[in-house]
Amino acid sequence: MPGTLPKKVVTQGLATVATQRLNDTHSGYESEVTEWEGHHSLVITPSQSKTLLPSGDDPAWGEIRGPVVCDLELKIYAIPVELMPKLLGVEYSDEDGVSMSDAPPVYVGLALTVKETRDGAKTQNKIIAYKTCWDLPELSHETVGEDNAAVADLTIKGKGYPVFYTKADGSQGNKTVAIFNSVKQKAKWDANAKSIQFPSETDTKTPEPTTPEE
């Protein structure tokens, strides 16, 4: 059925993670990009409101669908503590490390780059959630036998929301998640190579990062 959403998108393995903070009006991104690499697991579960339009005896003659909202779960096995405020509403200082306090929520674009091998060819896939907000993490540390490795990870849950932009015809568009390949969607890949590009009617142009207002 056209417009039907997959129940889940799951990635697992070594990946490059990038975050980029939304500006105050959520109409673009600030220029600073934060990246780190490691073993990660991401689960995206999208949902979408649906209103049926009846006509005569047909209860579903048409449908009106709302913007896509996602439940997100990200398991991080390696993130430098000084980078946590780039993703979470926490505070950091060189003296005290990370503090969980009443810090305001952080809205960021999140991009994961994952390597893919198919039929002997190596490419990369990128998943972008354009506007995310994360809860404080569940802290997990497991100490196991001497012949095994100790495991420590952060599991965080959050939401993925749509961002809104103006189309060429003046109407409003919105996007929540994008998934594309380095070969099949090369122009879009190149445009998002060094930063997350805010959606536009033609979102394969080389992005010009916005500078946060003083």
Side-chain angles (χ1 to χ4, degrees):
M1 177 180 176
T4 300
L5 292 168
K7 290 184 178 180
K8 287 185 179 180
V9 177
V10 181
T11 68
Q12 188 171 17
L14 291 173
T16 299
V17 180
T19 62
Q20 198 163 348
R21 190 183 292 250
L22 284 151
N23 60 21
D24 290 341
T25 60
H26 294 184
S27 58
Y29 297 105
E30 296 180 359
S31 57
E32 182 182 4
V33 179
T34 301
E35 268 191 355
W36 70 93
E37 293 185 351
H39 196 286
H40 305 85
S41 175
L42 174 67
V43 179
I44 303 174
T45 306
S47 61
Q48 190 175 37
S49 64
K50 180 174 63 175
T51 301
L52 295 179
L53 301 176
S55 178
D57 295 331
D58 186 351
W61 176 80
E63 288 183 359
I64 297 176
R65 294 191 173 223
V68 175
V69 176
C70 299
D71 289 321
L72 305 173
E73 182 174 298
L74 177 63
K75 184 173 288 189
I76 306 173
Y77 293 92
I79 177 174
V81 291
E82 67 271 16
L83 297 185
M84 287 185 184
K86 305 296 184 179
L87 180 64
L88 304 171
V90 298
E91 297 177 339
Y92 172 81
S93 71
D94 290 338
E95 295 78 18
D96 297 330
V98 171
S99 299
M100 296 185 184
S101 60
D102 57 351
V106 177
Y107 289 93
V108 298
L110 179 77
L112 268 78
T113 304
V114 183
K115 295 178 181 178
E116 178 184 85
T117 301
R118 183 181 299 180
D119 299 327
K122 294 183 178 181
T123 62
Q124 298 181 83
N125 290 331
K126 190 181 289 287
I127 298 175
I128 294 177
Y130 289 103
K131 179 181 177 181
T132 69
C133 189
W134 299 87
D135 299 332
L136 293 176
E138 170 188 332
L139 300 176
S140 172
H141 183 85
E142 179 182 357
T143 302
V144 292
E146 60 179 321
D147 294 332
N148 297 304
V151 177
D153 64 63
L154 291 176
T155 298
I156 55 175
K157 296 182 179 181
K159 288 284 189 180
Y161 302 107
V163 293
F164 299 88
Y165 62 97
T166 302
K167 294 184 177 182
D169 63 3
S171 63
Q172 188 181 68
N174 68 83
K175 287 187 180 181
T176 305
V177 173
I179 305 171
F180 50 94
N181 181 266
S182 61
V183 174
K184 294 181 179 179
Q185 290 81 38
K186 187 176 185 304
K188 188 176 181 71
W189 179 274
D190 290 345
N192 287 273
K194 296 183 179 181
S195 63
I196 302 172
Q197 184 180 2
F198 198 83
S200 66
E201 184 72 9
T202 55
D203 57 1
T204 56
K205 298 183 298 181
T206 301
E208 296 181 1
T210 57
T211 301
E213 297 179 359
E214 296 294 328

